Amino acid sequence: MSTKARGRPRGFDRDRALETAMAMFWRHGYDGTSVADLTRAMGIAAPSLYAAFGSKQELYRESLQLYVRTLGRLGVANLGSAASARDGVHAVLRAAAEAFTRPGFPPGCMVGIGSLRCAEDNRVAEEATTELRSATHAMLLARLRQAQADGELPESADPTAMADLYAAVLEGMSVVATDGATRTRLLATADLAMAGWPSPGPAAR
């Protein structure tokens, strides 16, 4: 029997334990969730947690990855398959409005609020969430640059500034959701954010 296996109680379900940890970190943040809180919620002892996940830091990173794969999917990776960049970005914002107000789950986005709920000198949450936010920004920017190359955006448009804007809207929606903003309000925000979308450039000759 391996060292990792010895520390776990009979019936230990790693996937379920990870889901529990995700919910704890999402609601209370990295610093606001202690190892004691985690083991109590999971129904396991601390040695079992370390045997299964290595450390609290690694458990947090795995929890973030689980969130991104499941509850945090906003369709950003599918921007390239949208009928237009505008339709794709609009769909992402509206998906965020629904995801951030999902009944039965903490409000907001686990990635978006992760670094807001950690101590100033704690780099674990900040680095992990920054990496994921940067990936979202990169996908937005790539789609907007392609839209400009295709003539959907005029040459005068600034894809980088637009990516900054819509990434900031996503982050802001997450924050106000944690403050109690309703789904209706967030959907209205998503729709209004599209009002500044530049008119298409002239048709290609």
Side-chain angles (χ1 to χ4, degrees), residues 1-203:
M1 183 180 296
S2 67
T3 302
K4 287 187 176 182
R6 281 200 298 269
R8 305 180 191 178
R10 179 176 297 178
F12 178 86
D13 187 329
R14 190 181 190 279
D15 291 339
R16 180 165 294 183
L18 183 58
E19 291 174 359
T20 299
M22 178 186 72
M24 295 287 290
F25 285 130
W26 186 358
R27 186 174 297 280
H28 303 292
Y30 180 83
D31 285 315
T33 306
S34 67
V35 171
D37 294 331
L38 290 165
T39 55
R40 188 180 306 113
M42 293 177 178
I44 60 176
S48 297
L49 184 151
Y50 293 122
F53 300 103
S55 65
K56 178 185 172 184
Q57 292 91 333
E58 289 305 314
L59 176 56
Y60 181 74
R61 292 190 179 93
E62 278 202 53
S63 297
L64 274 177
Q65 293 296 335
L66 175 63
Y67 172 82
V68 171
R69 291 196 308 271
T70 55
L71 299 172
R73 298 184 66 179
L74 305 179
V76 179
N78 300 325
L79 281 171
S81 60
S84 68
R86 189 184 193 285
D87 288 347
V89 171
H90 196 187
V92 167
L93 294 179
R94 289 185 66 86
E98 296 183 0
F100 297 166
T101 54
R102 187 182 288 111
F105 293 91
C109 170
M110 183 180 177
V111 176
I113 64 177
S115 60
L116 300 180
R117 291 178 172 169
C118 67
E120 187 174 334
D121 60 348
N122 192 327
R123 301 290 298 175
V124 175
E126 184 176 349
E127 290 175 356
T129 55
T130 295
E131 180 181 351
L132 292 171
R133 287 198 301 271
S134 296
T136 295
H137 184 279
M139 286 185 278
L140 284 167
L141 180 58
R143 185 64 183 91
L144 292 167
R145 284 175 172 168
Q146 184 60 51
Q148 189 172 52
D150 294 341
E152 184 186 340
L153 289 174
E155 292 184 5
S156 59
D158 185 340
T160 300
M162 291 179 67
D164 289 343
L165 169 65
Y166 290 112
V169 171
L170 284 170
E171 297 296 319
M173 289 170 65
S174 173
V175 173
V176 297
T178 64
D179 291 338
T182 63
R183 178 170 295 184
T184 299
R185 283 181 58 191
L186 294 184
L187 287 171
T189 298
D191 293 344
L192 186 60
M194 304 309 298
W197 190 274
S199 300

